[in-house]
Amino acid sequence: MSFVTSMQEGPILTLTLNRPEALNALNGQVLDDLDAALDAVDLDTVRCLILTGVGDRAFAAGADIAAMANMTPEEAAAFSRRGNEVFRRIETFPLPTVAAVNGYALGGGCELAMACDIRLCSENAVFGQPEVTLGITPGFGGTQRLMRLVGMGKAKELIFSARTVKAAEARSMGLVNAVYPPEELLPAARKLGERIARNAPIAVRACKAAMNEGIDLPMDEAVDAEVREFSGCFETEDQKRGMAGFLNKQKNIEFQNK
Ligand code: CO8
């Protein structure tokens, strides 16, 4: 029995955290199941991953506090490393990822959403890094990704104060891209996924790689990453298909992922 369910509809694969009794809190098993679900992704047919939580209360209410309560510093380091490893795998996964945040995204839940490329949320979503109320720091990337997304000053305010933010404020600070009524969240995420899926898959992956790499580099090196990814597209059939299609005034070009 896995804590993560996978469902593929056409080019969209939805991974759903499925531990409702603990508001999808992340323990070692959930992290392993998420990792295994990524292992099983068919990169030939899937064009976009959606990550969400089961039910309408939580995306994930954090790392599992019961599992962490009696950890030694060594065990805590191993748990933090494992979470960071899986979340970094999501961040660098060779497909675009959309977090559909359907309720609480606290602590590790907020960190999981931030490891995705794009965040959409429902009107009842609540984001935050409440770790300091538990006597710990964020440990699955929160001290690093929140400031990259919303700026250092806002990130420090939220992490030091442990203040949670509702959907509208999360949107206004750029933590999420759009807010939907709960029943419209997954359809909106799928619609975005389908729109992405219509584009040349290798080019989309190359954009992700260039952007992920460039954000941590000085601009002169960052543009080198762009040159590499851009020129690499010219080895693909899809570049020829896309440009010939434009020149021939062809509509709805079907890309081959080649
Ligand atoms: N861990 C374990 N169990 C949880 C968690 C959690 N993070 N969140 C909720 N649950 C459980 C509750 O214990 C409860 O279980 P039970 O029914 O057996 O008592 C069940 O889920 C339902 O929760 P509530 O009854 O509390 O539901 P409410 O609607 O009253 O409240 C809240 C919802 C506000 C989300 C509340 O559950 C809450 O505050 N949860 C904890 C939020 C939090 O502090 N998250 C941060 C955790 S720390 C973290 O994520 C650090 C990540 C880095 C780790 C580094 C490793 C070393």
Side-chain angles (χ1 to χ4, degrees):
M1 170 70 191
S2 172
F3 285 130
V4 178
T5 60
S6 287
M7 188 183 59
Q8 187 168 349
E9 294 162 292
I12 313 296
L13 183 78
T14 303
L15 300 182
T16 304
L17 299 177
N18 187 14
R19 199 188 169 211
E21 65 282 5
L23 300 183
N24 301 323
L26 307 160
N27 61 16
Q29 184 64 50
V30 178
L31 294 175
D32 288 349
D33 290 347
L34 205 43
D35 207 16
L38 295 175
D39 285 338
V41 175
D42 177 2
L43 295 175
D44 290 331
T45 59
V46 178
R47 299 280 181 271
C48 181
L49 289 188
I50 296 173
L51 247 87
T52 193
V54 75
D56 55 8
R57 292 182 66 201
F59 176 71
D64 189 314
I65 298 169
M68 289 186 293
N70 296 315
M71 280 180 180
T72 63
E74 293 72 25
E75 288 165 338
F79 189 46
S80 177
R81 246 183 231 112
R82 177 68 179 138
N84 271 304
E85 177 186 61
V86 175
F87 288 13
R88 183 73 179 139
R89 184 172 182 205
I90 291 168
E91 187 169 48
T92 58
F93 202 69
L95 287 175
T97 54
V98 178
V101 179
N102 55 311
Y104 290 110
L106 299 175
C110 188
E111 292 167 309
L112 177 58
M114 291 193 293
C116 294
D117 296 317
I118 298 165
R119 283 150 296 285
L120 308 179
C121 77
S122 57
E123 284 162 347
N124 66 330
V126 179
F127 295 82
Q129 299 290 159
E131 285 86 348
V132 293
T133 68
L134 299 165
I136 59 172
T137 71
F140 290 166
T143 59
Q144 305 309 313
R145 291 196 180 92
L146 187 59
M147 65 187 181
R148 284 169 166 79
L149 277 170
V150 305
M152 177 77 95
K154 183 52 84 178
K156 284 182 172 168
E157 177 209 323
L158 294 179
I159 290 175
F160 297 173
S161 70
R163 182 169 73 82
T164 57
V165 296
K166 293 185 179 159
E169 188 179 354
R171 180 168 186 235
S172 73
M173 70 174 75
L175 185 54
V176 299
N177 292 25
V179 182
Y180 299 92
E183 66 282 4
E184 290 175 24
L185 175 63
L186 277 176
R190 280 192 208 105
K191 199 167 161 196
L192 174 60
E194 279 156 15
R195 198 179 165 121
I196 292 170
R198 287 202 289 273
N199 298 320
I202 296 170
V204 171
R205 289 205 291 274
C207 292
K208 174 168 174 170
M211 293 164 92
N212 275 3
E213 188 176 333
I215 194 161
D216 293 319
L217 292 175
M219 189 55 90
D220 287 329
E221 292 170 42
V223 295
D224 283 345
E226 183 176 84
V227 170
R228 187 194 66 225
E229 295 298 336
F230 174 76
S231 56
C233 291
F234 286 76
E235 293 171 353
T236 67
E237 287 179 26
D238 281 343
Q239 175 268 329
K240 292 170 188 38
R241 187 177 282 261
M243 291 194 170
F246 173 82
L247 295 172
N248 294 327
K249 306 207 181 301
Q250 190 186 333
K251 295 266 181 271
N252 301 325
I253 296 162
E254 288 208 7
F255 291 104
Q256 305 296 307
N257 197 20
K258 285 183 191 153

Short mmCIF file of all heavy atoms in Angstrom, two decimals, residues 202-234:
data_model
loop_
_atom_site.label_atom_id
_atom_site.label_comp_id
_atom_site.label_asym_id
_atom_site.label_seq_id
_atom_site.Cartn_x
_atom_site.Cartn_y
_atom_site.Cartn_z
N ILE A 202 11.03 18.38 -25.82
CA ILE A 202 12.46 18.53 -25.55
C ILE A 202 12.77 20.00 -25.30
O ILE A 202 13.58 20.35 -24.42
CB ILE A 202 13.29 17.95 -26.72
CG1 ILE A 202 13.05 16.44 -26.82
CG2 ILE A 202 14.79 18.25 -26.53
CD1 ILE A 202 13.61 15.79 -28.08
N ALA A 203 12.09 20.88 -26.04
CA ALA A 203 12.31 22.32 -25.83
C ALA A 203 11.81 22.74 -24.44
O ALA A 203 12.48 23.52 -23.75
CB ALA A 203 11.59 23.11 -26.92
N VAL A 204 10.67 22.20 -24.01
CA VAL A 204 10.16 22.55 -22.68
C VAL A 204 11.16 22.10 -21.62
O VAL A 204 11.50 22.85 -20.69
CB VAL A 204 8.77 21.92 -22.43
CG1 VAL A 204 8.34 22.10 -20.98
CG2 VAL A 204 7.73 22.53 -23.38
N ARG A 205 11.67 20.89 -21.77
CA ARG A 205 12.65 20.38 -20.79
C ARG A 205 13.91 21.24 -20.80
O ARG A 205 14.51 21.50 -19.76
CB ARG A 205 13.03 18.93 -21.12
CG ARG A 205 11.92 17.94 -20.85
CD ARG A 205 12.49 16.55 -20.60
NE ARG A 205 13.06 15.95 -21.79
CZ ARG A 205 12.36 15.27 -22.68
NH1 ARG A 205 11.05 15.10 -22.52
NH2 ARG A 205 12.94 14.73 -23.72
N ALA A 206 14.32 21.66 -22.00
CA ALA A 206 15.53 22.49 -22.11
C ALA A 206 15.31 23.84 -21.44
O ALA A 206 16.23 24.39 -20.82
CB ALA A 206 15.90 22.66 -23.58
N CYS A 207 14.10 24.39 -21.57
CA CYS A 207 13.80 25.67 -20.88
C CYS A 207 13.94 25.49 -19.38
O CYS A 207 14.54 26.32 -18.68
CB CYS A 207 12.37 26.14 -21.18
SG CYS A 207 12.09 26.62 -22.88
N LYS A 208 13.39 24.39 -18.86
CA LYS A 208 13.46 24.14 -17.41
C LYS A 208 14.92 24.03 -16.98
O LYS A 208 15.32 24.62 -15.97
CB LYS A 208 12.67 22.87 -17.06
CG LYS A 208 12.81 22.46 -15.61
CD LYS A 208 11.81 21.39 -15.20
CE LYS A 208 12.09 20.90 -13.78
NZ LYS A 208 11.03 20.04 -13.24
N ALA A 209 15.70 23.28 -17.73
CA ALA A 209 17.10 23.08 -17.36
C ALA A 209 17.85 24.41 -17.37
O ALA A 209 18.61 24.72 -16.44
CB ALA A 209 17.76 22.09 -18.32
N ALA A 210 17.62 25.23 -18.41
CA ALA A 210 18.34 26.51 -18.50
C ALA A 210 17.94 27.44 -17.36
O ALA A 210 18.78 28.11 -16.76
CB ALA A 210 18.06 27.17 -19.85
N MET A 211 16.64 27.46 -17.05
CA MET A 211 16.17 28.37 -15.99
C MET A 211 16.66 27.91 -14.62
O MET A 211 17.13 28.71 -13.80
CB MET A 211 14.64 28.47 -16.03
CG MET A 211 14.16 29.17 -17.30
SD MET A 211 12.41 28.91 -17.61
CE MET A 211 11.72 30.33 -16.77
N ASN A 212 16.56 26.61 -14.35
CA ASN A 212 17.02 26.08 -13.05
C ASN A 212 18.51 26.33 -12.86
O ASN A 212 18.96 26.68 -11.77
CB ASN A 212 16.77 24.58 -12.98
CG ASN A 212 15.36 24.25 -12.52
OD1 ASN A 212 14.54 25.13 -12.31
ND2 ASN A 212 15.08 22.97 -12.38
N GLU A 213 19.27 26.12 -13.93
CA GLU A 213 20.72 26.29 -13.81
C GLU A 213 21.07 27.76 -13.69
O GLU A 213 21.89 28.15 -12.86
CB GLU A 213 21.39 25.67 -15.05
CG GLU A 213 22.89 25.62 -14.96
CD GLU A 213 23.51 24.93 -16.18
OE1 GLU A 213 22.85 24.08 -16.81
OE2 GLU A 213 24.67 25.26 -16.49
N GLY A 214 20.41 28.58 -14.50
CA GLY A 214 20.81 29.99 -14.59
C GLY A 214 20.53 30.79 -13.33
O GLY A 214 21.26 31.74 -13.03
N ILE A 215 19.49 30.43 -12.58
CA ILE A 215 19.12 31.26 -11.43
C ILE A 215 20.23 31.34 -10.39
O ILE A 215 20.34 32.33 -9.67
CB ILE A 215 17.78 30.80 -10.81
CG1 ILE A 215 17.27 31.91 -9.87
CG2 ILE A 215 17.91 29.47 -10.10
CD1 ILE A 215 15.82 31.83 -9.56
N ASP A 216 21.07 30.34 -10.33
CA ASP A 216 22.15 30.35 -9.33
C ASP A 216 23.50 30.77 -9.91
O ASP A 216 24.53 30.65 -9.24
CB ASP A 216 22.28 28.97 -8.68
CG ASP A 216 21.05 28.64 -7.85
OD1 ASP A 216 20.56 29.55 -7.16
OD2 ASP A 216 20.57 27.50 -7.91
N LEU A 217 23.51 31.25 -11.15
CA LEU A 217 24.78 31.61 -11.80
C LEU A 217 24.87 33.11 -12.08
O LEU A 217 23.83 33.76 -12.27
CB LEU A 217 24.89 30.87 -13.15
CG LEU A 217 25.04 29.35 -13.12
CD1 LEU A 217 25.01 28.80 -14.54
CD2 LEU A 217 26.33 28.96 -12.42
N PRO A 218 26.09 33.65 -12.16
CA PRO A 218 26.22 35.01 -12.69
C PRO A 218 25.70 35.04 -14.13
O PRO A 218 25.76 34.03 -14.84
CB PRO A 218 27.74 35.25 -12.66
CG PRO A 218 28.32 34.17 -11.83
CD PRO A 218 27.37 33.03 -11.85
N MET A 219 25.21 36.21 -14.58
CA MET A 219 24.54 36.29 -15.89
C MET A 219 25.39 35.80 -17.05
O MET A 219 24.88 35.14 -17.96
CB MET A 219 24.07 37.74 -16.12
CG MET A 219 23.19 37.91 -17.33
SD MET A 219 21.72 36.83 -17.32
CE MET A 219 20.55 37.85 -16.48
N ASP A 220 26.72 36.08 -17.01
CA ASP A 220 27.55 35.65 -18.14
C ASP A 220 27.56 34.13 -18.29
O ASP A 220 27.55 33.59 -19.39
CB ASP A 220 29.00 36.15 -17.99
CG ASP A 220 29.08 37.65 -18.25
OD1 ASP A 220 28.27 38.14 -19.05
OD2 ASP A 220 29.93 38.31 -17.62
N GLU A 221 27.58 33.43 -17.15
CA GLU A 221 27.55 31.96 -17.19
C GLU A 221 26.13 31.47 -17.47
O GLU A 221 25.92 30.46 -18.14
CB GLU A 221 28.04 31.38 -15.86
CG GLU A 221 29.51 31.62 -15.61
CD GLU A 221 29.91 31.27 -14.19
OE1 GLU A 221 29.46 30.23 -13.69
OE2 GLU A 221 30.68 32.04 -13.59
N ALA A 222 25.15 32.22 -16.96
CA ALA A 222 23.76 31.81 -17.15
C ALA A 222 23.40 31.82 -18.64
O ALA A 222 22.74 30.91 -19.13
CB ALA A 222 22.83 32.72 -16.36
N VAL A 223 23.85 32.85 -19.35
CA VAL A 223 23.51 32.89 -20.77
C VAL A 223 24.23 31.78 -21.54
O VAL A 223 23.74 31.31 -22.57
CB VAL A 223 23.74 34.28 -21.42
CG1 VAL A 223 22.79 35.32 -20.83
CG2 VAL A 223 25.17 34.73 -21.32
N ASP A 224 25.38 31.33 -21.02
CA ASP A 224 26.03 30.16 -21.64
C ASP A 224 25.12 28.93 -21.54
O ASP A 224 25.05 28.12 -22.47
CB ASP A 224 27.36 29.84 -20.95
CG ASP A 224 28.46 30.80 -21.39
OD1 ASP A 224 28.26 31.49 -22.41
OD2 ASP A 224 29.50 30.85 -20.70
N ALA A 225 24.45 28.78 -20.39
CA ALA A 225 23.50 27.66 -20.24
C ALA A 225 22.39 27.79 -21.27
O ALA A 225 21.95 26.79 -21.87
CB ALA A 225 22.94 27.63 -18.82
N GLU A 226 21.94 29.01 -21.51
CA GLU A 226 20.88 29.20 -22.50
C GLU A 226 21.37 28.84 -23.90
O GLU A 226 20.68 28.15 -24.66
CB GLU A 226 20.37 30.64 -22.48
CG GLU A 226 19.22 30.82 -23.46
CD GLU A 226 18.63 32.21 -23.39
OE1 GLU A 226 19.18 33.12 -24.04
OE2 GLU A 226 17.62 32.38 -22.69
N VAL A 227 22.59 29.29 -24.23
CA VAL A 227 23.15 28.99 -25.56
C VAL A 227 23.21 27.47 -25.75
O VAL A 227 22.84 26.94 -26.80
CB VAL A 227 24.55 29.63 -25.73
CG1 VAL A 227 25.24 29.11 -26.99
CG2 VAL A 227 24.45 31.15 -25.74
N ARG A 228 23.65 26.77 -24.71
CA ARG A 228 23.78 25.30 -24.80
C ARG A 228 22.42 24.65 -25.05
O ARG A 228 22.26 23.82 -25.95
CB ARG A 228 24.40 24.78 -23.50
CG ARG A 228 24.73 23.31 -23.52
CD ARG A 228 25.01 22.79 -22.12
NE ARG A 228 23.82 22.84 -21.30
CZ ARG A 228 23.76 23.30 -20.04
NH1 ARG A 228 24.82 23.73 -19.43
NH2 ARG A 228 22.62 23.30 -19.39
N GLU A 229 21.41 25.06 -24.27
CA GLU A 229 20.09 24.44 -24.41
C GLU A 229 19.45 24.82 -25.75
O GLU A 229 18.82 24.00 -26.40
CB GLU A 229 19.18 24.84 -23.24
CG GLU A 229 19.66 24.33 -21.88
CD GLU A 229 19.72 22.80 -21.77
OE1 GLU A 229 19.00 22.11 -22.51
OE2 GLU A 229 20.51 22.30 -20.94
N PHE A 230 19.60 26.09 -26.13
CA PHE A 230 19.02 26.58 -27.40
C PHE A 230 19.61 25.81 -28.57
O PHE A 230 18.89 25.26 -29.41
CB PHE A 230 19.31 28.08 -27.52
CG PHE A 230 18.92 28.70 -28.82
CD1 PHE A 230 17.59 28.98 -29.11
CD2 PHE A 230 19.88 29.03 -29.77
CE1 PHE A 230 17.22 29.57 -30.31
CE2 PHE A 230 19.53 29.61 -30.98
CZ PHE A 230 18.19 29.89 -31.26
N SER A 231 20.94 25.73 -28.59
CA SER A 231 21.57 25.08 -29.75
C SER A 231 21.26 23.59 -29.76
O SER A 231 21.09 22.99 -30.83
CB SER A 231 23.07 25.34 -29.75
OG SER A 231 23.64 24.91 -28.54
N GLY A 232 21.14 22.99 -28.58
CA GLY A 232 20.80 21.57 -28.50
C GLY A 232 19.46 21.26 -29.19
O GLY A 232 19.27 20.19 -29.76
N CYS A 233 18.55 22.21 -29.16
CA CYS A 233 17.24 21.99 -29.80
C CYS A 233 17.38 21.78 -31.30
O CYS A 233 16.54 21.14 -31.93
CB CYS A 233 16.32 23.19 -29.55
SG CYS A 233 15.80 23.35 -27.83
N PHE A 234 18.47 22.31 -31.88
CA PHE A 234 18.64 22.20 -33.33
C PHE A 234 19.11 20.81 -33.76
O PHE A 234 19.26 20.54 -34.94
CB PHE A 234 19.58 23.31 -33.84
CG PHE A 234 18.91 24.66 -33.83
CD1 PHE A 234 18.72 25.34 -32.64
CD2 PHE A 234 18.39 25.21 -35.00
CE1 PHE A 234 18.06 26.57 -32.60
CE2 PHE A 234 17.73 26.43 -34.97
CZ PHE A 234 17.56 27.11 -33.77
#
